[in-house]
Amino acid sequence: MSLSNGRAYLAIPGPSVMPDVVLRAMHRASPNIYEGELHDLTASLIPDLQAVAMTTAKVAIYIGNGHAAWEAALANTMSRGDAVLVLATGPFCIGWGAMAAGMGVHVETLDFGYNTPVDAGRVTEYRAADKAGRIKAVLAVQVDTSTSVKNDIAALRAAVDAAGHPALLFADCIASLGCDRFEMDAWGVDVMVAGCQKGLMTPAGLGFVWFNAKADAARGDCVTSYWDWRPRAEPEQFYQYFNGTAPTHHLYGLRAALDLIKAEGLDHVFARHAKLAQTVWAAFDCWSTTGPLQMNVADAAHRSHAVTSAVIGSPLGDRLRNWCEHTCGLTLGIGLGRAPADGYFRIGHMGHVNAQMIMGALGTIDAGLKALDIPHGRGALEAASNVVASA
Ligand SMILES: Cc1ncc(COP(=O)(O)O)c(C=O)c1O
């Protein structure tokens, strides 16, 4: 019997749940793109995008997804033959590196596997060995959405500096911006990329690149007119923000989403994500006392607050996801970038989520484990509710 009629919960790690105010803001006739409200609204986004990244760096907006932001970051800084160091804690940073390689950049990779964060000591050693300063930029992901490993970005800056190396530090915050604390200026990040469809709660379609003066000065010859961040960040004409027609409705949606973040307060947004993540982990700690289910990252200090990746063994990941979706209306994330993919699943707890949604998701997974006869420890919902109660 299906119990799924009712409001569905898309608990995948992006695109995330869209707030009604965002949808309502987008539900409008096409605005005048030549003058007036849309111009003012677009200009108003910039300081709020800087605030959410805790930076005074410039920001360029692209009509695109996270991959577009990746390419923009590389195109503006790299020349063919330059070298970058990829710090891999899952498939996403490797993907960013592959994109760089496709642009003619030499890519070196330190791979830390799927379960642990970057070891900053190894980065220092590696950089210290690069006496000639060949590496122009270090590419890191704050949260790898496949593994849910979270990296300490400030520690990476310190590791590069400890080697006395001038490299730029690039951070992919596509899965973490507006969820996990990120302080671009204080942590010494030169370029940061994000999309609008996760912590920023807006339908997929906008990519962002924040860049400081050092990154801008590093300009290479890969830049082309569409990707050039300069006119986008300092437009003299409105159309330069987007190098063409504005993504009109996304801008209204993003405005509403940033207003939600402002109204809640960034610190509270981070605290809410942290508490909800702890709620999820408390349930997993109980489930995993018996049977195959385990969180992917053992050490809570290195876990994302936006997504939890779990291993359950093939084909139970797909069976559990299908049961949750078809019986209860809860869509969980697939085992992306893992093999076999059906041995994994992920829960997105990013953006517009609250405690009753998380408790509902956990209750659904608990029921699914029972319905499918998957061995698991008991008491998960009790443990999760204790975390919520402690708030
Ligand atoms: C950490 C990370 N980087 C990059 C991407 C690629 O973003 P997009 O799918 O929007 O192109 C994603 C998407 O999930 C991501 O989570």
Side-chain angles (χ1 to χ4, degrees), residues 311 313-315 335 337-344:
V311 56
S314 172
R338 309 301 299 272
D342 62 1
Y344 297 83

Side-chain angles (χ1 to χ4, degrees), residues 2-378:
S2 173
L3 302 170
S4 64
N5 284 5
R7 192 162 201 155
Y9 173 16
L10 183 70
I12 69 172
S16 63
V17 172
M18 287 183 273
D20 288 344
V21 288
V22 170
L23 293 173
R24 278 200 297 273
M26 298 179 76
H27 190 82
R28 60 175 64 233
S30 286
N32 182 349
I33 60 167
Y34 305 118
E35 61 194 2
E37 185 180 80
L38 188 68
H39 290 207
D40 298 339
L41 181 142
T42 302
S44 80
L45 297 172
I46 304 303
D48 292 336
L49 287 170
Q50 290 171 316
V52 88
M54 295 200 196
T55 186
T56 55
K58 290 180 180 152
V59 56
I61 309 177
Y62 294 85
I63 301 176
N65 52 19
H67 282 76
W70 274 355
E71 184 152 337
L74 295 167
N76 278 278
T77 50
M78 295 295 142
S79 296
R80 285 170 214 288
D82 280 346
V84 296
L85 175 65
V86 165
L87 303 177
T89 51
F92 279 101
C93 210
I94 290 176
W96 200 3
M99 180 182 271
M103 294 168 75
V105 172
H106 174 71
V107 177
E108 298 178 19
T109 303
L110 284 178
D111 195 338
F112 299 89
Y114 285 123
N115 310 97
T116 50
V118 172
D119 174 350
R122 275 183 65 197
V123 176
T124 302
E125 285 164 22
Y126 196 87
R127 304 315 315 277
D130 178 22
K131 301 267 187 259
R134 280 177 314 104
I135 304 283
K136 188 169 187 182
V138 175
L139 273 49
V141 174
Q142 187 181 21
V143 164
D144 185 287
T145 325
S146 162
T147 60
S148 65
V149 170
K150 178 164 67 182
N151 287 306
D152 181 343
I153 299 293
L156 300 187
R157 174 83 268 168
V160 173
D161 290 351
H165 203 286
L168 298 166
L169 178 60
F170 286 24
D172 168 339
C173 294
I174 291 170
S176 51
L177 191 72
C179 307
D180 279 281
R181 177 170 285 279
F182 176 78
E183 302 187 27
M184 179 161 174
D185 291 353
W187 295 357
V189 174
D190 300 299
V191 176
M192 190 271 277
V193 297
C196 66
Q197 75 273 24
K198 302 193 193 237
L200 298 186
M201 304 174 286
T202 303
L206 299 177
F208 311 100
V209 183
W210 290 253
F211 60 96
N212 65 16
K214 183 178 166 193
D216 195 31
R219 192 171 177 88
D221 64 20
C222 284
V223 68
T224 54
S225 72
Y226 184 78
W227 294 111
D228 193 351
W229 60 29
R230 286 183 178 164
R232 290 172 184 265
E234 280 188 288
E236 287 165 17
Q237 309 281 335
F238 178 76
Y239 82 90
Q240 292 176 319
Y241 274 116
F242 308 104
N243 205 345
T245 305
T248 50
H249 288 63
H250 276 79
L251 299 174
Y252 280 98
L254 180 64
R255 181 63 271 160
L258 290 169
D259 285 343
L260 276 181
I261 291 174
K262 276 171 95 168
E264 183 176 350
L266 199 51
D267 283 338
H268 194 274
V269 169
F270 295 146
R272 172 171 54 84
H273 279 84
K275 199 64 162 175
L276 295 178
Q278 286 156 15
T279 305
V280 172
W281 304 342
F284 272 96
D285 282 340
C286 291
W287 287 327
S288 58
T289 54
T290 310
L293 184 55
Q294 299 289 332
M295 274 183 280
N296 188 53
V297 183
D299 185 343
H302 305 312
R303 289 183 200 142
S304 157
H305 292 169
V307 51
T308 297
S309 180
V311 56
I312 192 168
S314 172
L316 297 179
D318 274 3
R319 288 186 62 204
L320 183 64
R321 283 193 312 100
N322 288 334
W323 189 90
C324 290
E325 175 147 25
H326 299 304
T327 310
C328 298
L330 172 74
T331 305
L332 296 168
I334 60 169
L336 189 74
R338 309 301 299 272
D342 62 1
Y344 297 83
F345 70 94
R346 297 171 299 154
I347 309 175
H349 32 93
M350 54 171 57
H352 196 57
V353 284
N354 58 24
Q356 59 89 11
M357 295 162 77
I358 296 299
M359 288 302 294
L362 296 174
T364 301
I365 294 168
D366 198 68
L369 293 169
K370 291 185 178 114
L372 299 172
D373 280 330
I374 300 172
H376 61 283
R378 305 286 153 150

